[in-house]
Structure formats: structure tokens, C-alpha cells
Amino acid sequence: MSYQDHIIEMGQLIKSKNGTWDGISPEAVARMRLQNRFKTGLEIAKYTADIMRKDMAAYDADPSQYTQSLGCWHGFVAQQKLISIKKHFGSTKRRYIYLSGWMVAALRSEFGPLPDQSMHEKTTVPALIEEIYTFLKQADARELGLLFRDLDAARKAGDNAKEQALLEEIDNFETHVVPIIADIDAGFGNAEATYLLAKKMIEAGACAIQIENQVSDEKQCGHQDGKVTVPHEDFIQKLRAVRYAFLEMGVDNGIIVARTDSLGAGLTKQIAVSHEPGDLGDRYNSFLDCEEITPENARNGDVVINRNGKLLRPKRLPSNLFQFREGTGVDRVVLDCITSLQNGADLLWIETEKPHVEQIAEMVDRIREVRPEAKLAYNNSPSFNWTLNFRQQVFDAWSKEGKDVSAYDRAKLMSVDYDSTPLAAEADEKIRTFQADAAKRAGIFHHLITLPTYHTAALSTDNLAKEYFGAQGMLGYVQGVQRQEIRQGIACVKHQNMSGSDIGDDHKEYFAGEAALKAGGVHNTMNQFA
């Protein structure tokens, strides 16, 4: 509904109340309605699911149309990210938010900083989703509020052309509300626990839920050792649980991102149930590291499986976990991904140990032989040393081509001494184009960085602390922060406005008219930043 249509509708409703609502301004109501477009998290989940589905179709038609996100650990961080995107690019199209379980554990748990092992409170994730969308809706309200003030100024000046241009801008306003891909870890328990948590996440606004095939009570960060996977049937139950949650909540277009950690996971807690040779359980068990058993070498408590008429003993560790054969990770990843797509997953996530386009592409090629629609969300992880990885990739490529690499020490390529070399320049160019290259070659629809704002917060705070508490004193803040905010047009330089002070003034005027005691008068120091 357009701005004017809202005014007309409210005017008719107020008139129908026989004078008792005459203190209500139809235009003020129209403004408040537009400033609060989304009334519930479910509205957001449905709206953003449609966006993701359209983006996925666009990517299928043209891999250059990939999507991106940055992980955000607070609503304010997400808000500022979207404000910056709109400022620099004019649109939020194909830009999402990633909600990282790692950052929830490290920054949002009531227990204090925790490792990424599913120890944080379950409700923290839906609470953060709700918080993020609260801040994004406030960004809408703030930006529209500025447009409404400009509209009032144009009317006061009698500038009809400016007024019409602003009305058009208001009617075509693009919201800051974008899809969130939210991390549910390994589901925080059994399938029922997964379903209950998924519902809370969807109610808060999540249109896409990422779930991994690790054991819930053994879950590890994707870039740490000791990962333990579950048989496919266990994981399929959780995929179904998430789908049931979406359907129950009326988000029929909800997106499930199925993550496999099998490339780095050498252990399983369970032997899969198998009913006949070649079924899914038998294929999972076929990767187990086994030895043939005889009556002579049998031990007390042995677990035995029958494979092709032979009795085999899977190797069991003192931890009571079973071990996969070395070198089976890629085959397990391919089977995991195909199985997930066959059971309702929409996107895949392959956790790798390095960012290497061809490594990812080789797995995706095999998956697409069975499921041509396969596409990935990929973690452009800060756990990778991107500089060293790509310099080594270039070093290896040059060596293979017969180029002279005698000026370089492969193990020390991270050194600043190499920053101005041709090898470093080529590596940086490969890093720059990694997302576009991987989207085209390796089927990556969505590129995300899990923990970027964790690192930027630490880096910027370190820089400020070094200057402010050192010889620079207050100049450390002014030169490094405030002056840059002013010159770069950072919205937060007017922090009272950013926190909603002007919106509050508008409401005071709606409610109290000329009696309103407003904060934004001539003596407000924020006017220094006009």
C-alpha cells in the first residue's frame, strides 16, 4: 500500500469514529505503519524465504549472481552492516546476514566466553535472531523518519517537485530486513530438540537454518580436531524435524542448509543400522576401519559386522568411538551431500580445511552427477590463513609450470618481506576473485564469513586503545574515529539519532502536539554534525 493510500485509509477510519479520534493524525499513522512494516518474525521469515528462493533461481541461471553475508553477533552490528551496504551500493540485493554459533558461544552466552561445542543456551540463537531484526526494523524507521522530515521541509518551502520525488522514494523504500542464515549447530539434542529449537528460530524470523552432521553432545568447531559424525539416518531425522518446523509455522519456502563435517571428521559414535548389502547404513559402515576377526583373535566386548560373508571388527578407540579409514573423507562428503539433497535439504555446506576452488569443485562435480541442482553455502573462514594459503597455492602452481621459485621460502610466505613480490600480487588477486571463481566453478551460491565482526571489533578496539591511552590522548579518538565518521558519512556519528531520539521526538509530537517536549532542539549538540 502506498503512503497516500495509508493516509486515505486512516482518514476514513478516524472520520468514522464521530470525532472521538480527531486527535489522531492520519498521516502520522501512515508514517508509523511504514516504519513498522513487519509485525512478526513469521512475516519476516516468509518474506526473506521468498527472497532466497528467487536468488537461488537467479544463481542457477547465472552463477555470477551469487550471494554474500558477514556473520554478526549483535543487532547493532547487523544494523550498521546493512546501513553501510545501502549507503555504498544503493541496494541490499543478494546480501544476507549469517548468524554464527561460534560467535554466540564466544560472545552471547550467560556462561561467558565458550568454545564452539554447543554448550551455550539453546534460546540464545532465537533471541539473537529477534534482536537482529529489531535493529534492522529500527534502521527502516530511522531512514524513513529522515525522509518524512525532508518531506515536511519540502512542503514548508513550497517545493512541489521535491515533495513528489520524496513521495516516490518513500513508496519505493527498500527495507534493511534481509535473510538470515542461522546456525542450529547439530540440533542441540535429538530430533525433537532440533524441531523445538527450529520453531523458536523461525518464530524469531529465520528463513534459513543450517544444521551439521556431527553428534550433538560431541560437537566441535568445524576447524578443530576430534569431530564425530552420525549415520545418515540420524541426520535425516533432523532434516525432517526442521522441515516439519517450517511447515508447521507456515513458512513453506523455508531453506535448510545441510552441512557435512566428514572431510575433517575421522570418527563416528555409532555403527549404522543396515538391513541389506548396499543400503545407506551399509555404505556408511563401509568407510569404517576394520580388521577381520577369527575365534583366535576375538576379544571380550567385540562389536562385529558382516561384510561380504566375512566377520569384521571395527577399530574402536578407548573413547568408545569408531574410526574411519584414512582417505575416505571426500567419498563420505559426497555421499553425505547426495543423501541430504535426496531428503529435503536445499543447500549444502562442505566444511573444508583450506579455501581451494578446485578441491571444492571436485566434490561438487561428483555430487552434481547425481543431483545436478546441488549448490553450496561456503564458509570463507577466518580460521584459514588466507594469505599463506594462496601464496602457497601460487608457489605450487609456479613450481608445476617450471617457473623459478628459488627466491621464495614456501614455509615462510606469510612474511612481510614477500608483500611486494609478483607471487604475493598474484595470490592477492586470487583472493580477490575467490568468491566469483568459486561461484562459477565450484557451485557456491552463498559466500559467508563466519566471524568477521568478532575480529573487526577486536582490531578497532586495539587501535583505539593504543592511541587513546598513549601519547595521542583524546586525539587518538578524534583522529582515528570521529573525524573518519564525519568524513566517511558514518550514520553513527549522530549517535542520538541512531539510537532513536528523533523517532521519539516524532512520536512526542504525534501524541502531545505543541505541548511536546522534544530533545532535538537548537541546543542539541548533535547539530554540530549537521
Side-chain angles (χ1 to χ4, degrees), residues 487-502:
R487 291 175 177 173
Q488 294 180 41
I490 304 300
C492 274
V493 72
K494 299 175 72 171
H495 49 258
Q496 305 287 16
N497 167 267
M498 194 73 253
S499 69
S501 179
D502 289 342

Side-chain angles (χ1 to χ4, degrees), residues 300-348:
N300 187 55
D302 272 344
V303 173
V304 179
I305 62 174
N306 178 5
R307 184 182 298 160
N308 299 323
K310 293 182 179 180
L311 295 181
L312 303 177
R313 174 172 54 209
K315 291 184 180 178
R316 187 159 55 173
L317 305 179
S319 61
N320 204 29
L321 299 171
F322 297 96
Q323 187 171 292
F324 290 115
R325 297 192 314 278
E326 284 193 23
T328 62
V330 170
D331 291 336
R332 286 184 281 126
V333 163
V334 171
L335 181 59
D336 293 345
C337 290
I338 292 170
T339 303
S340 292
L341 291 173
Q342 289 172 334
N343 288 276
D346 302 289
L347 292 171
L348 303 170

